[in-house]
Amino acid sequence: MYKDASLPVEERVSDLLSRMTPAEKAGLLFHAPISVRPDGGLVEEPAGLMPTVPTTRAIAEQGLRHFNLCSPVAAGPLARWHNTVQKIAAQSRLGVPVLISTDPRHSAVGNPLTSVPSGGFSQWPEPLGLAAIGDEQLLRQFGEIARQEYLSVGLRMALHPSADIASEPRWARTAGTFGADPALVARFAAAYVSAFQAGEVGSASVATMLKHWPGGGPQKDGEDCHFPGGREQDYPAGQFETHLNAFRPSLEAGTAAIMPYYGMPVGVPGIPEVGFAYNDEIINGLLRRGEGYEGVICTDWGLVTDDRMANGAIWQARAWGVEHLDTHERVRLLFDAGVDQIGGESCPQIVLDLLADGRLKEDRLDSSVRRILTVMFRLGLFENPYVDEEQAVQISGRPDFVAAGLAAQRRSMTLLTNRSATLPLASGVRLYVEGVDPAVAARYATVVDRPTDADVALVRLSAPFEARPHFPEALFHQGRLDLPADRSADLVTLMTTVPTVVDVFLERAAVIPEIAEHAAALLADYAASDEAVLDVVFGHAAPEGRLPIELPSSMAAVEAHPTDLPGGSADPLFPIGFSAPIDGWASASSVRSE
């Protein structure tokens, strides 16, 4: 009966729910990390630095059905793997299919805990770059293209977008946000949800998991709450509602799921100081009762058990404020607070233990399973869980999709300074490069080995950060935003030796007054290829972006600024929305052809 597509979804869900054992229900309550071999083979004995589940055991023995795919794999092998895992699921007693989710794959910043290299998808700027362009129609075009590429290989849930406001410039997750303008963040997150889900959740949708309720931006001292040093979120300017408000348009757009963040709010009247997912007032109170949200609520990854990494390191569970509880009490508290699914974990036996001793009631379990199954039925997974492997190869990385992504990379770039109309450069100049592939640069100019032989230099930098010594915290770019003294001195020497164009990748804010002062021209990008940068530098495409975040003038200004207040630090080097005039690109009507 539950497979009869002519019946209402609610009826089909009720019928399937009535057939399920407690163990089958418990398996649906976990959203575990999974990996795949480059050839599309199953990973039964996970290896590598990041822990994932053994595929067949997780599906066939534990009854898990939701998996976050962590591997960057080409479309053909990925589609083949997807069909294989669906066949394993189909052999179970009820044949409940698998739902595969993913972190962003179209603009990976190199942190495998927050994004995944594409494996052949089109490459776009980070969401921060889409916000820099400010074109909602382009954002929707990205969503439509990404949706098609995801669907082609069986990725049916996007663990994005982020409606977080990047109010704390040191936060490592800034690149994945739409910046620090609350109105733009709210509008773009909702448009993103609508584009990925193709309106209402249905067979043509990629379901979205909006994050990180009720706003992950106000991290104390900018430290990320994946780690104990960043467990607190504070609101010294009283802007809690500003951050929460950014989620409301996406709730109205019908996001299929929501992910609360790890952090624990500090000093917010009426809200307990425990992690958001453990927080009854945040989940049952503000989200369920306050907003009337009836979709799936899935925790962020790893709130219950410590992770043992392949190198032997222990990564502490992010059970902030309830660290003293054992794993069973943590799971009980999560469900009492109102969550439906636990991310990054694979321990359904804990749920069965809680049912057995009465700490968790089956009707509470059923309410979460009902929400989870509703999304799966609406996606059409029960009718057709498989993908066309040949079509996957044709759609993923389609030439027009790739071209659209590269055009967006170019458009998103932001011109910050341009002394003496240095840019755009003339073709064939003698060019010295750092941080740029000389072979790519040679298609635009005569590349020389020494600055003293050059007419102009081009340097690509990333926003500064303080490297952390231990894995996995080393993956997160945190700490100070200014350049180390020796690196700053070297750049100033170069910039005073030869006219120098500097492009900085803003994965988060940067404190770079010395570069703004001495560079012949200063550009910002938000994940762009060397080719895209050079197209802009040589006038074949115009930098249309405006800063979606503020660039502070000093670290003292950063440290004095309220964590929860978007923008407005003392005397910023460049404010939100800034861009220099781009008159020099007015005649550039097309991208350089090879």
Side-chain angles (χ1 to χ4, degrees), residues 546-564:
R546 293 181 175 274
L547 275 180
I549 55 174
E550 182 180 87
L551 298 192
S553 57
S554 67
M555 280 306 301
V558 171
E559 292 160 358
H561 185 68
T563 302
D564 58 327

Side-chain angles (χ1 to χ4, degrees), residues 258-324:
I258 289 180
M259 179 190 293
Y261 209 23
Y262 299 118
M264 50 183 284
V266 175
V268 181
I271 298 180
E273 294 186 358
V274 297
F276 287 131
Y278 287 101
N279 204 312
D280 179 81
E281 181 56 31
I282 292 292
I283 306 301
N284 281 327
L286 293 177
L287 187 51
R288 291 288 193 212
R289 295 189 295 270
E291 302 297 330
Y293 181 71
E294 283 300 324
V296 173
I297 298 175
C298 178
T299 75
D300 212 327
W301 269 221
L303 268 71
V304 176
T305 60
D306 295 343
D307 287 319
R308 180 176 293 277
M309 317 305 287
N311 62 1
I314 299 297
W315 187 11
Q316 181 181 354
R318 277 67 77 196
W320 308 139
V322 296
E323 294 96 329
H324 61 286

Side-chain angles (χ1 to χ4, degrees), residues 91-112:
Q91 295 168 7
S92 64
R93 186 179 74 89
L94 295 174
V96 176
V98 163
L99 186 153
I100 304 296
S101 70
T102 181
D103 283 316
R105 286 176 178 257
H106 286 85
S107 53
V109 298
N111 184 342

